[in-house]
Amino acid sequence: KFVTMGRTPNTGKFYYYNSHSGKNTIGGTGLSGIDWTGAHIVMRNERWIIDNFPVTAYNEASVSFDPSSPLRGNTDRYSPKDKGWFFFQNDIRTLDTLGEWYSNKGRFYMYFGQSGPAGYSVQVSLQNYNINLHYSNYITVQDIDVEGASYAGINVDNTDGISIKNVNSKDQGGYFIFGQLRINGLVQNCTSINALAGGAHLDNSQVNVINCFFYNSGLSPGNHFSGDGFGGAIDLTGNQDTVRNCTVRNCGYGGIKVMGNDALVIYNRVDSFGLTKTDCGGIYTSDAAFSNTKIAYNIVSNGIGTGAFDQQPSGMVGIYCDNGSHSGYVIGNTVFNISGFEGTGLYFQYDGHDWVVDSNVIYNCKFVNVFIASHSNLSPQKITFTNNVIASTSGTVPAFQAEYY
C-alpha cells in the first residue's frame, strides 16, 4: 500500500480560512488546540495554486507562515484568497492512521496503532531522484522501471538530447520526470502511475512526448509544488514542443499544457482532470508572446472540479486558450462532460485572436460550450468557426457566449 505523509485533518477533510493578513497569515476554522509552529501548512491559495509553507507562529485565531520558504516549488506571488482550504503536515502529531509517516533530522516515524510494526514490511525512499541527469548530454534511458523517489523519478538539469524510452514509473513522491532541457528531448512509450506531484514537467524547446500513459498524476495536495503551473500530467514550456498519442487519466490539475511557439498537441486522450486544483484545461495553452499552436484530433472529457470539498468556485475548461494566446488552430477535437462552476468546452480568454476553429464536436458542458472573454478594451477578433458541432444538452446552457469583463 502506497501511503502519504500524515496530515491533520485526515485525507479527504479540510479546514477553511475566512480571513487573511498580507501574504503570510490566515484565520479560520481548525485553529484551536494544538500549536502547529514548526509544522507545514498546505493551503489552497488561489483556485490554481496549492502552497506548502513552514508555520512560524500560531494562536487560536490565526496561523502565520513563511511564503519565502516553500517545501518545493516557487515562492508564491499571490496573497491568500478567503474561503480556501488548508491542513497541517510534517509533524509527528498528525500521525493517527495506519501507515501515516513523518520524518525529521534523519529519523523516520510511522504510525502502526496498537499492533506495532511486527508483520509489516516498510519501504522508504532515501533518494530525491531515481535517475539524476545533471549537465549530461545525449543520454538514453531505456527499458527500466523506476519507483518511489521523493522528488522525481527522473530529474533532468541543463541537458541536451535526452531520450527516455520504455520507462515504467510508479509511486513517485513528486514527479515522474522533472527539470530543464536546453533543447531536444524525447519521452516515448513510457508509463507513469501514481506520481503524487504530477507527471512530466519540462522546460525548454523541442521536447517530444509520444505514446505515453499518465495515470493518477498530482492527486496528493500535500505533495504539490508551491506556486504556478504544477500538478498536471504533461507540462511543457518551450518552442516546437509536441505531445502526440498520449493518454492522461485522473490528474490533479490540467491534462496537457504547452507554452511556446509552434507547439503541437495531436491525437491525445485526456479524461478526468482538475481533481485537486481548478481554473485549468484538459488541454491548455497561454501567453500572447507565443503563436502557431496546433491542437488537433484530441478527445477531452470529464473536467471534474473540486466542488465536492472546495468553497471557492471551480473553473473547468476542456480546451483552454488563455492570456491572449493567438494565431493557432483548434481542429477536429471532441470535448464533452465539462462540469464544475464555469464548466466550459472551449475558452478563449483575455483577448485571444487569429484562431481557426474547425470540425470540432463540443457538448454537455455545465456553463457554456464555447466562451470568448475579452477585457482591457480590446475586442476578440479573427476567430473563425467552421464545420463545428456545438450541442447544449440543457436549455439553460448556451452553445456560444462572448462578453467583456
Side-chain angles (χ1 to χ4, degrees), residues 46-51 72-78 175 177-179 197-203 218 224-237 252-259 276-281 284 286 322-323:
E46 288 277 3
R47 294 185 295 175
W48 61 95
I49 299 288
I50 294 176
D51 285 327
R72 300 186 294 194
N74 300 323
T75 300
D76 204 344
R77 59 190 177 94
Y78 302 97
Y175 277 84
I177 304 171
F178 187 90
H201 185 103
L202 292 168
D203 293 337
H224 272 234
F225 289 23
S226 297
D228 268 316
F230 298 110
I234 303 173
D235 185 348
L236 306 180
T237 302
Y253 193 39
I256 298 170
K257 184 177 86 170
V258 290
M259 290 180 60
T276 58
K277 300 197 294 188
T278 63
D279 193 19
C280 63
Y284 178 92
S286 177
D322 197 10
N323 289 328

Side-chain angles (χ1 to χ4, degrees), residues 60-125:
E60 292 188 1
S62 66
V63 56
S64 297
F65 44 87
D66 183 1
S68 68
S69 301
L71 181 65
R72 300 186 294 194
N74 300 323
T75 300
D76 204 344
R77 59 190 177 94
Y78 302 97
S79 296
K81 189 170 183 178
D82 295 348
K83 297 185 179 181
W85 53 253
F86 67 97
F87 59 85
F88 298 102
Q89 67 175 24
N90 205 34
D91 191 290
I92 197 169
R93 294 167 296 180
T94 64
L95 307 186
D96 60 4
T97 301
L98 180 64
E100 286 187 333
W101 59 271
Y102 154 75
S103 63
N104 183 40
K105 297 180 179 179
R107 293 190 175 186
F108 180 83
Y109 304 86
M110 178 170 281
Y111 185 82
F112 293 96
Q114 295 181 351
S115 61
Y120 292 97
S121 176
V122 178
Q123 294 180 317
V124 180
S125 174

Side-chain angles (χ1 to χ4, degrees), residues 205-259:
S205 299
Q206 298 178 14
V207 176
N208 296 282
V209 182
I210 301 172
N211 296 329
C212 293
F213 181 77
F214 294 85
Y215 181 72
N216 289 353
S217 305
L219 296 185
S220 173
N223 290 73
H224 272 234
F225 289 23
S226 297
D228 268 316
F230 298 110
I234 303 173
D235 185 348
L236 306 180
T237 302
N239 297 325
Q240 300 175 10
D241 290 338
T242 296
V243 183
R244 181 193 299 267
N245 290 330
C246 292
T247 298
V248 172
R249 297 190 188 278
N250 299 339
C251 55
Y253 193 39
I256 298 170
K257 184 177 86 170
V258 290
M259 290 180 60

Side-chain angles (χ1 to χ4, degrees), residues 1 74 103 114 146 152 199 247 263 343-344 351 384:
K1 179 182 178 182
N74 300 323
S103 63
Q114 295 181 351
V146 294
T247 298
T344 303
D351 315 317
T384 303

